[in-house]
Amino acid sequence: MLRIVKPKTKRAKRELEKRAPKLEENVKKLLLLHGTSVSSVVKAVISDIYHLKKTGRNAIKLTRKNDNVRPFESGGETSLEFLSQKTDCSLFAFGSHSKKRPHNLVLGRMYDYHVYDLIEVGIDQYKSIASLGGGRKLAPQEGSKPCFVFVGEAFEAKEQFKQLKEIILDLFRGEVVETVNLVGLDRVFVCVAAADKVLLRHCGIRLMKSGSKVPAIELVEVGPSLDLTIRRNRLPSGDLKKEAMKTPFKTTKKKVKNVSGDSFAGKVGRIYVPRQEVEGMALTKMKGLKRERREAAIWRSGDGNGMKSPRDHKLLQHKKQRIDKYS
């Protein structure tokens, strides 16, 4: 029987709610790790990828050697799936180095904390961010969105290149949004397919003065710069791909009457108030108001002696009182 884990604290409850299935999934997190034997080049590539992903806290880097992680081997992915579930990561990058496969980098995706697909690339040429000065010139801003350019027919014709294209998009695209501010487009990834290689360049977008409203755009290579050779790959099975691509039915929210939204993502309500008969309400009457009403009633009845208003009648009465007093 499956054991249902119930949270004992509020913090554990929040973590389980974050990992629960949703109609709109969270940003995919990346797990970076390496095996027992790794070269300095692969370590530097992993560090640069972590530098690009850590701005949004969407990457976790493990520094210890992992003996049991062996992709493309039976039983060698159990430890990788355990680490993926523990860290809640749906992407991973595993680095290794051997005589048969030097400077090796395995990129893959997870579905339900199980390996979905894998692709293995070899690093032929590499330029780090530090060597190109990208960390000082144009560092990625918090929440910025990169552009992607894929040059070559192989990205649409060959399965290996199509798979690598999808993984690169999932790796660096960040959060999925509906609208993007042009100021937030500060980077571009250029991928060129040449024979069995992929040339990956990371450039920063610099806006220059052009004498008009539209600025001139200049691309500055900021790194990392990679020349990758595709070695091995493993595509998902048809049933697994069908299950992973299944989109849940989105239930339309029932419209609530007299409730709308504003520009600040808040709620604005409209309340219906019936008309109130204030004239017929029983209120506490003051003595002064009683005298004025009585005088107004006398004036309306025609006893005002031709006065135009109750005020004139009042002044006349006051004048008569003074005459009677001194007479």
Side-chain angles (χ1 to χ4, degrees), residues 159-190:
E159 289 294 334
Q160 291 181 336
F161 286 83
K162 289 171 64 177
Q163 184 185 6
L164 182 60
K165 175 184 175 181
E166 293 177 0
I167 292 178
I168 290 175
L169 287 174
D170 286 342
L171 198 65
F172 295 108
R173 70 178 178 178
E175 186 175 356
V176 180
V177 295
E178 296 180 358
T179 57
V180 180
N181 190 355
L182 293 179
V183 180
L185 298 174
D186 58 350
R187 295 175 290 148
V188 58
F189 288 92
V190 182

Side-chain angles (χ1 to χ4, degrees), residues 91-136:
L91 300 169
F92 69 89
F94 177 77
S96 62
H97 178 72
S98 63
K99 185 177 180 180
K100 187 178 181 180
R101 295 183 177 89
H103 311 305
N104 199 47
L105 186 65
V106 180
L107 304 174
R109 295 179 287 183
M110 293 283 185
Y111 172 69
D112 196 17
Y113 302 116
H114 294 286
V115 177
Y116 177 74
D117 61 348
L118 295 169
I119 188 165
E120 185 181 64
V121 294
I123 303 171
D124 297 337
Q125 190 175 358
Y126 164 68
K127 292 181 181 179
S128 64
I129 296 177
S131 63
L132 295 173
R136 297 186 302 271

Side-chain angles (χ1 to χ4, degrees), residues 247-258:
T247 55
F249 177 73
K250 294 185 179 180
T251 57
T252 57
K253 293 184 179 180
K254 188 176 180 180
K255 182 175 177 57
V256 183
K257 291 183 178 179
N258 300 326

Side-chain angles (χ1 to χ4, degrees), residues 41 49 85 139 164 179 182 203 210 226 244 253 270 281 323:
V41 175
I49 295 176
Q85 185 176 7
L164 182 60
T179 57
L182 293 179
C203 301
S210 61
L226 300 169
K253 293 184 179 180
R270 185 174 58 182
M281 295 177 64
I323 294 171

Side-chain angles (χ1 to χ4, degrees), residues 3-189:
R3 183 172 61 92
I4 300 175
V5 180
K6 293 185 178 181
K8 297 182 180 179
T9 60
K10 292 185 178 181
R11 182 180 178 183
K13 184 179 179 180
R14 290 194 298 269
E15 289 296 327
L16 289 179
E17 289 177 353
K18 289 180 182 179
R19 300 187 182 191
K22 305 178 184 64
L23 290 176
E24 296 180 1
E25 293 292 339
N26 302 329
V27 183
K28 294 182 178 180
K29 294 172 63 177
L30 174 64
L31 177 64
L32 299 161
L33 69 166
H34 58 81
T36 54
S37 178
V38 62
S39 62
S40 59
V41 175
V42 176
K43 278 188 175 182
V45 171
I46 291 176
S47 298
D48 283 352
I49 295 176
Y50 177 71
H51 175 74
L52 296 177
K53 294 283 291 183
K54 71 178 181 180
T55 53
R57 297 180 181 179
N58 298 324
I60 296 176
K61 180 183 176 183
L62 303 181
T63 57
R64 292 185 178 181
K65 297 180 180 180
N66 298 272
D67 304 338
N68 301 327
V69 179
R70 294 183 181 88
F72 295 100
E73 295 183 11
S74 59
E77 300 171 356
T78 306
S79 180
L80 182 62
E81 293 173 352
F82 170 76
L83 294 173
S84 173
Q85 185 176 7
K86 186 178 180 181
T87 56
D88 191 25
C89 293
S90 55
L91 300 169
F92 69 89
F94 177 77
S96 62
H97 178 72
S98 63
K99 185 177 180 180
K100 187 178 181 180
R101 295 183 177 89
H103 311 305
N104 199 47
L105 186 65
V106 180
L107 304 174
R109 295 179 287 183
M110 293 283 185
Y111 172 69
D112 196 17
Y113 302 116
H114 294 286
V115 177
Y116 177 74
D117 61 348
L118 295 169
I119 188 165
E120 185 181 64
V121 294
I123 303 171
D124 297 337
Q125 190 175 358
Y126 164 68
K127 292 181 181 179
S128 64
I129 296 177
S131 63
L132 295 173
R136 297 186 302 271
K137 290 181 180 179
L138 293 171
Q141 301 177 5
E142 182 74 22
S144 63
K145 294 287 291 182
C147 302
F148 294 91
V149 178
F150 293 92
V151 182
E153 298 180 356
F155 288 113
E156 301 296 334
K158 297 182 180 180
E159 289 294 334
Q160 291 181 336
F161 286 83
K162 289 171 64 177
Q163 184 185 6
L164 182 60
K165 175 184 175 181
E166 293 177 0
I167 292 178
I168 290 175
L169 287 174
D170 286 342
L171 198 65
F172 295 108
R173 70 178 178 178
E175 186 175 356
V176 180
V177 295
E178 296 180 358
T179 57
V180 180
N181 190 355
L182 293 179
V183 180
L185 298 174
D186 58 350
R187 295 175 290 148
V188 58
F189 288 92

